[in-house]
Amino acid sequence: MRTVLIEPTENPKVMKFVADYNLIPGSLELDRNSDISEIPLAQELFNYPFVERIFITANFVAVAKQDTIEWEHVAESLKNVIEDELLANPRIYLQKKKEMYQIYAEMTPNPNVMKFVSNKLLIDGFVEVKSRDAAEEVPLAQAIFNEFDFATEVFISDNFVAVTRDNSVEWHQVMMTVRSLIADYLQNGGTISNLEPQKHESPVEKIINRDYTEDEQKISDILNEYVAPAVENDGGKISLMEYDEASKTAKMLLQGACSGCPSSTATLKNGIENILKQFVPDLVERVEAVNG
């Protein structure tokens, strides 16, 4: 409970209600014509018809009343109202509810990469930071690099952050600390990225700067429908980067947790290659991985 003291003033129409801390910088003078939509304290006080004006500055609230009522009958009630409202909104203005981020850690097929998943969308698309020097425009990645010497790469996509570690630590030693840093950073309103996120639908266009041919589009459509969701669930990204019609070879761009993953080659050979052979046997015979 906030402690408020009642202090008379030289003006018999005005009573001061003094708090034990500074309420606001500057001052507010309010009457019944003022915009008080963001000031719950004023809303509550003006519910009393005898309250004419409210003055808030430093550590007190001064209330001016009509002559038709005596302070001895209402001062204590107003004091209780002010105490309750200061408890709910200590800085007078309506407190905006912070967006609550819940973060949980999730293993990926790459033992060096841990995925930290949020209950809220972080960015629409993805951003990949491959080194500390490249983190300047991605403040969340910069915060991770600044705090953890073992962090080598950061991949941010939709509702998760995938962090790559070096061999100086094991994830069970640092997982909770990284999770806490990411959660606190987001909870405090930290900027995630100043870069425009790459779009999931055709991220390869930013790299090779060309449109897909008709055959490439067929291959890409199959990847997007049957392969990409599972890969993204593991904290990675896969796209068709290049297609050689003569050798029927499709080169895949791997990003995020998939990049450099020990199981990437096996996954491509045993999974993706088989899927493409099944759906477009006339187009694909081999699949190669290119780490992004």
Side-chain angles (χ1 to χ4, degrees), residues 101 122-123 138-140 143 181-194:
Y101 286 89
L122 303 180
I123 58 174
V138 186
L140 174 53
L181 179 132
I182 294 173
D184 290 345
Y185 184 90
L186 296 172
Q187 193 61 47
N188 291 326
T191 300
I192 295 171
S193 175
N194 294 320

Side-chain angles (χ1 to χ4, degrees), residues 156-176:
I156 307 169
S157 177
D158 298 331
N159 70 326
F160 70 84
V161 181
V163 179
T164 304
R165 65 166 175 84
D166 61 22
N167 294 324
S168 65
V169 296
E170 297 295 333
W171 274 120
H172 69 83
Q173 299 172 312
V174 297
M175 178 178 66
M176 296 304 295

Side-chain angles (χ1 to χ4, degrees), residues 103-250:
I103 305 293
Y104 67 89
E106 185 178 292
M107 293 295 295
T108 75
N110 187 341
N112 292 331
V113 178
M114 184 67 70
K115 183 178 170 185
F116 297 89
V117 184
S118 168
N119 64 325
K120 298 182 181 297
L121 184 71
L122 303 180
I123 58 174
D124 184 13
F126 70 95
V127 172
E128 187 167 34
V129 182
K130 300 289 287 183
S131 70
R132 293 172 178 270
D133 293 338
E136 184 176 353
E137 293 299 318
V138 186
L140 174 53
Q142 203 167 39
I144 293 170
F145 287 136
N146 288 342
E147 186 69 21
F148 305 114
D149 291 338
F150 58 79
T152 60
E153 298 181 20
V154 175
F155 181 79
I156 307 169
S157 177
D158 298 331
N159 70 326
F160 70 84
V161 181
V163 179
T164 304
R165 65 166 175 84
D166 61 22
N167 294 324
S168 65
V169 296
E170 297 295 333
W171 274 120
H172 69 83
Q173 299 172 312
V174 297
M175 178 178 66
M176 296 304 295
T177 307
V178 178
R179 186 196 69 80
S180 295
L181 179 132
I182 294 173
D184 290 345
Y185 184 90
L186 296 172
Q187 193 61 47
N188 291 326
T191 300
I192 295 171
S193 175
N194 294 320
L195 297 177
E196 179 185 355
Q198 297 184 56
K199 298 301 181 183
H200 289 299
E201 51 269 25
S202 56
V204 74
E205 288 185 11
K206 289 183 177 287
I207 300 168
I208 59 179
N209 195 28
R210 63 173 175 80
D211 294 328
Y212 286 146
T213 65
E214 183 177 348
D215 287 344
E216 288 171 336
Q217 191 62 55
K218 290 179 182 178
I219 296 170
S220 180
D221 289 343
I222 293 169
L223 283 177
N224 290 336
E225 185 171 357
Y226 295 99
V227 180
V231 172
E232 289 170 6
N233 193 52
D234 286 333
K237 181 72 185 172
I238 185 168
S239 306
L240 176 65
M241 183 175 184
E242 185 179 328
Y243 172 64
D244 187 330
E245 184 177 359
S247 64
K248 294 187 178 180
T249 299

